[in-house]
């Protein structure tokens, strides 16, 4: 039931774009995205609710395809501060248990 | 507004002992969730409490338990500690239960079992 993220790791140069995918085997009500820097707690980025909406936060946006039970996080013109591990979190329609994905390590280099 | 606080920040215990971790949510938040984070397993859901009631429980043995008080503060207890319980334990608070609200994480308690 843990969502699967891809890729597991990615290295970017400043200014490049990246896409992180999150796929679940269960129908989803919502998808959260969090970023965790080394030695720190995860920090909320955005939440997408059932309805296929797309959200954005500065140069980070995300989409939610409920039919495919997938979400994608888009990082454009990456900055050094984007480095960290990105987790998706999903809330299924069976009991509302919340599961975090397997994580994607993103490193932005100068 | 003060963030989520967790105490203690670090703990060292030996196998067989028990431990209690504490979490104080953001003021006004009524839901508290607990997670175990390890390098191999990532973030694993332990349980969620809302209004002093356990709403959901993850796939962990009965040695892991928790409770929530009327002021929304929460504790989790691990009895008969095993080496594999060594992990970072994170709590997160949100305004209400379910997956529709963002979660705010505390700094975590690093538990080492020797």
């Amino acid at each position: 039931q843990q969502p699967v993220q891809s890729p597991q790791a990615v290295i970017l140069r400043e200014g490049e774009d990246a896409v992180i995918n999150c796929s679940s085997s269960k129908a989803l009500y919502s998808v959260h995205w969090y970023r965790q820097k080394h030695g720190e707690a995860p920090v909320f980025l955005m939440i997408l609710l059932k309805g296929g909406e797309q959200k954005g936060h500065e140069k980070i946006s995300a989409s939610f395809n409920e039919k495919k039970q997938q979400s994608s996080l888009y990082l454009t013109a990456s900055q050094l501060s984007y480095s960290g591990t990105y987790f998706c979190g999903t809330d299924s329609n069976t009991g509302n248990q919340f599961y975090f994905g397997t994580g994607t390590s993103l490193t932005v280099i100068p | 507004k003060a963030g989520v606080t967790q105490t203690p920040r670090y703990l060292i215990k030996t196998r067989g002992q028990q431990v209690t971790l504490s979490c104080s949510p953001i003021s006004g938040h009524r839901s508290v969730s607990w997670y175990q984070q390890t390098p191999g397993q990532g973030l694993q859901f332990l349980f969620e409490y809302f209004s002093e009631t356990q709403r959901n429980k993850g796939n962990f043995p009965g040695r892991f338990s928790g409770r929530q008080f009327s002021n929304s503060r929460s504790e989790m207890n691990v009895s008969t500690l095993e080496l594999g319980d060594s992990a970072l334990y994170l709590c997160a608070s949100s305004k209400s239960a379910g997956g529709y609200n963002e979660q705010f994480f505390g700094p975590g308690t690093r538990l080492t079992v020797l």
Side-chain angles (χ1 to χ4, degrees), chain B residues 59-89:
Chain B
N59 190 25
F60 279 83
R63 301 185 296 108
F64 291 81
S65 62
R67 58 178 176 169
Q68 187 180 34
F69 301 96
S70 58
N71 62 357
S72 294
R73 190 177 69 85
S74 178
E75 289 182 347
M76 69 163 279
N77 183 276
V78 187
S79 62
T80 320
L81 284 167
E82 300 177 359
L83 294 178
D85 296 333
S86 294
L88 179 67
Y89 290 88

Side-chain angles (χ1 to χ4, degrees), chain A residues 25-101:
Chain A
S25 60
K26 298 283 188 181
L28 302 174
Y29 272 162
S30 68
V31 178
H32 298 213
W33 285 97
Y34 293 80
R35 176 171 62 209
Q36 184 177 29
K37 293 183 179 284
H38 184 69
E40 299 179 9
V43 173
F44 173 81
L45 292 175
M46 66 186 72
I47 181 172
L48 300 102
L49 304 178
K50 187 177 178 180
E53 64 178 291
Q54 186 157 348
K55 281 204 161 188
H57 175 69
E58 297 183 346
K59 295 179 181 176
I60 301 176
S61 62
S63 63
F64 177 22
N65 187 326
E66 61 193 80
K67 287 183 180 177
K68 292 186 177 180
Q69 297 156 195
Q70 293 176 343
S71 177
S72 295
L73 186 72
Y74 307 94
L75 300 100
T76 57
S78 57
Q79 306 167 14
L80 295 176
S81 62
Y82 285 5
S83 292
T85 300
Y86 289 77
F87 293 98
C88 65
T90 60
D91 172 36
S92 75
N93 63 353
T94 54
N96 287 331
Q97 288 202 39
F98 197 80
Y99 294 94
F100 276 97

Side-chain angles (χ1 to χ4, degrees), chain B residues 23 25 30-34 47-50 68 72 74 91-93:
Chain B
C23 172
R30 296 169 62 192
S31 173
V32 174
S33 297
W34 288 88
F47 24 66
E48 179 191 12
Y49 286 89
F50 178 75
Q68 187 180 34
S72 294
S74 178
C91 84
S93 78

